Amino acid sequence: MRSAALLARAHPRVHAQASSTSTKTKPAPAKTLSRASMKTVPLHVGFVGTGLIGGVAVKQVASRAGTLLEQTGLDLKLAGATDSKSMILASDPAAGLANDAVTGGADGAVADWNAEALSGEISPCDLDAFAAALRERAEATGAHAVIVDNTSSEAVADRYEGWLASGVHVVTPNKKANSGDLKRFKAIRTAATSSGAKWLCEGTIGAGLPIVSTLRTLRASGDEIRSVQGVFSGTMSFLFNTWDPAGGQPFSEVVLAAKAAGFTEPDPRDDLNGMDVARKVVIAARESGVDLELADVTTRSLVPPSLESCDAAEYVSRMAEFDGDIAKEAADAASRGNVLRFVGKVDVEKGVGSVELGEFPKTHPFAGLQGADNVVEIQSSRYSAVGGSTPLIVRGPGAGAAVTAGGVFGDLCKLGAQLGASVLI
Ligand SMILES: NC(=O)C1=CN([C@@H]2O[C@H](COP(=O)(O)OP(=O)(O)OC[C@H]3O[C@@H](n4cnc5c(N)ncnc54)[C@H](OP(=O)(O)O)[C@@H]3O)[C@@H](O)[C@H]2O)C=CC1
Ligand SMILES: N[C@@H](CC=O)C(=O)O
């Protein structure tokens, strides 16, 4: 048998714990890594899109950047920002991110940014010039560059392949690229794999909830996903969790509340027509190994055909005309003791996806959600409702500025860790 002294020499931490237990003294406080022993990882960040999510993401990053540098060596530098009209590039990106870099509100356009802190010139938005400047300036100082796409723009998604191929990382809650054309999606993935640049998109399902990363971790470690289903939309969850049809509340009133709370897409029809959930179904399918296209997803829409192609303002002003239709569906479900819930489903084994307005008994987990909660149930060879185990379930707020921006910021931290910063992720 090895003596206590031998054990202490071989495993000093084990010995320290054992002796502190036996003498009932307090364990020594854990030592944190000293700043000098950490690698410094400078990461130049360019924000494309400074609307609701982008505005809050900038504020979160700005208020945390100093602590991150001190505690992990990740040195986030605000190198530039654009909205659809104008862009600003820091004239000295190596100067770092000032805590007061942003003075505008969450709706702040580039013009609201503190040009003094960025010391940059405002010019018309040119995404290619923006990315090239970001990359060249980062390379010149041995830093990495990342574009944080906080738009819902196809034009921005179209550029990921080129950006990633040139070594610029991409972090985004924009669903257009990972739910859009399969050929483009694969080309983007190939560009990232070939260059080593990262494309991180946790915010594209469940806002800040760990759904994309959970699916990736399961598959990387050899698990096989069989199905992914749940309430994928914060907006639709909020609508059906808070609407009181029995009390005569108009459905359109709750849609306006969801929009005011920042849960909806810029055009709320993208939620109401099932398209946002269909996109999440496609993303979940692709992350589970199924090559699904958006057009293959059977999708229920709650947008009346006559309001499909008008402008967003007209839709919002006329949607009350159709309150009676959805109220009838809710009353029919209630007559059977059920409630309505808007769900997405991926059957990995059959390779199909769907978006449905389903009826659920009040005791069902999908019926007992609150606010804008999402619930996503993953069944796999390890987590299964059949065979003695239970499914893996992720639940929590699935929309809103703070949690979505938090998911985006979490991806920036993950990227920092992958580049060698001492971030525990
Ligand atoms: N709200 C939520 O809870 C969640 C949102 N998301 C996603 O987050 C993303 C952002 O949403 P949100 O902040 O609400 O959107 P907003 O409409 O508030 O902001 C969009 C921003 O993108 C800019 N923009 C649009 N097109 C371009 C372009 N071609 N080039 C440069 N900038 C552009 C807009 O500029 P301008 O003002 O000049 O038009 C604006 O600054 C969306 O993809 C959404 O799906 C994901 C998860 C949850
Ligand atoms: N509009 C979306 C926002 C997040 O993706 C939702 O309501 O879930």
Side-chain angles (χ1 to χ4, degrees):
M1 213 192 219
R2 296 165 92 186
S3 71
L6 199 61
L7 257 181
R9 274 204 300 278
H11 302 289
R13 281 221 314 260
V14 172
H15 177 71
Q17 275 168 7
S19 58
S20 73
T21 311
S22 61
T23 59
K24 293 198 166 57
T25 54
K26 276 190 181 171
K31 281 189 182 160
T32 50
L33 269 177
S34 79
R35 182 68 194 86
S37 67
M38 283 172 210
K39 184 176 166 187
T40 299
V41 177
L43 184 55
H44 290 196
V45 188
F47 282 91
V48 175
T50 55
L52 179 66
I53 307 302
V56 174
V58 170
K59 285 183 177 173
Q60 288 184 356
V61 173
S63 65
R64 180 86 184 145
T67 308
L68 270 177
L69 175 60
E70 183 58 32
Q71 295 184 349
T72 73
L74 177 58
D75 189 7
L76 295 170
K77 296 170 188 301
L78 177 57
T82 88
D83 61 14
S84 68
K85 297 173 272 302
S86 43
M87 65 181 192
I88 184 166
L89 280 160
S91 54
D92 179 11
L97 181 70
N99 276 355
D100 60 352
V102 183
T103 56
D107 60 345
V110 172
D112 289 336
W113 287 53
N114 185 335
E116 213 177 313
L118 281 163
S119 307
E121 288 289 315
I122 295 179
S123 55
C125 173
D126 177 340
L127 289 172
D128 299 322
F130 181 78
L134 202 69
R135 179 174 49 77
E136 282 158 20
R137 288 156 181 231
E139 269 174 16
T141 58
H144 284 267
V146 58
I147 286 182
V148 181
D149 169 18
N150 285 308
T151 75
S152 56
S153 161
E154 284 285 0
V156 179
D158 270 340
R159 288 172 163 84
Y160 292 0
E161 183 187 353
W163 290 344
L164 288 159
S166 72
V168 175
H169 309 281
V170 175
V171 162
T172 189
N174 178 358
K175 302 160 205 106
K176 293 289 157 48
N178 52 349
S179 65
D181 177 60
L182 189 60
K183 218 169 125 203
R184 177 179 70 177
F185 168 76
K186 292 196 169 183
I188 296 171
R189 278 225 161 144
T190 303
T193 311
S194 312
S195 73
K198 308 293 177 200
W199 175 25
L200 298 173
C201 54
E202 189 71 83
T204 56
I205 308 184
L209 298 177
I211 296 168
V212 171
S213 52
T214 298
L215 291 170
R216 288 183 180 180
T217 305
L218 292 176
R219 291 188 72 219
S221 63
D223 203 353
E224 282 169 21
I225 313 294
R226 291 181 182 150
S227 68
V228 186
Q229 63 171 335
V231 174
F232 285 96
S233 162
T235 298
M236 303 307 264
S237 184
F238 176 82
L239 296 184
F240 289 100
N241 296 338
T242 55
W243 180 35
D244 177 19
Q249 185 183 28
F251 187 70
S252 55
E253 185 181 298
V254 201
V255 176
L256 291 178
K259 185 165 165 47
F263 301 147
T264 67
E265 293 302 300
D267 181 341
R269 273 175 304 190
D270 291 339
D271 296 290
L272 274 291
N273 66 11
M275 205 38 76
D276 182 71
V277 176
R279 288 191 181 281
K280 289 164 179 166
V281 162
V282 169
I283 296 166
R286 291 180 184 172
E287 294 293 347
S288 305
V290 179
D291 280 350
L292 206 61
E293 287 276 20
L294 207 47
D296 300 332
V297 180
T298 316
T299 304
R300 169 72 200 266
S301 170
L302 301 187
V303 176
S306 57
L307 297 186
E308 269 166 11
S309 49
C310 60
D311 66 32
E314 185 182 346
Y315 167 67
V316 170
S317 71
R318 290 191 52 204
M319 63 186 170
E321 293 169 26
F322 301 86
D323 279 340
D325 300 347
I326 187 78
K328 181 171 181 327
E329 276 195 71
D332 288 349
S335 71
R336 291 182 279 272
N338 293 332
V339 293
L340 298 176
R341 291 294 179 265
F342 203 77
V343 296
K345 295 181 180 174
V346 181
D347 184 329
V348 175
E349 285 161 342
K350 292 190 181 136
V352 296
S354 61
V355 176
E356 300 162 19
L357 182 62
E359 270 187 40
F360 295 89
K362 288 176 188 154
T363 50
H364 192 282
F366 295 176
L369 299 176
Q370 291 177 348
D373 277 4
N374 282 188
V375 58
V376 176
E377 181 207 88
I378 301 168
Q379 301 228 23
S380 68
S381 49
R382 291 179 195 144
Y383 297 90
S384 166
V386 288
S389 180
T390 50
L392 190 161
I393 293 184
V394 181
R395 177 188 160 167
V403 290
T404 307
V408 169
F409 191 8
D411 274 351
L412 277 178
C413 293
K414 259 181 229 160
L415 175 60
Q418 288 169 0
L419 298 175
S422 301
V423 187
L424 290 176
I425 276 188

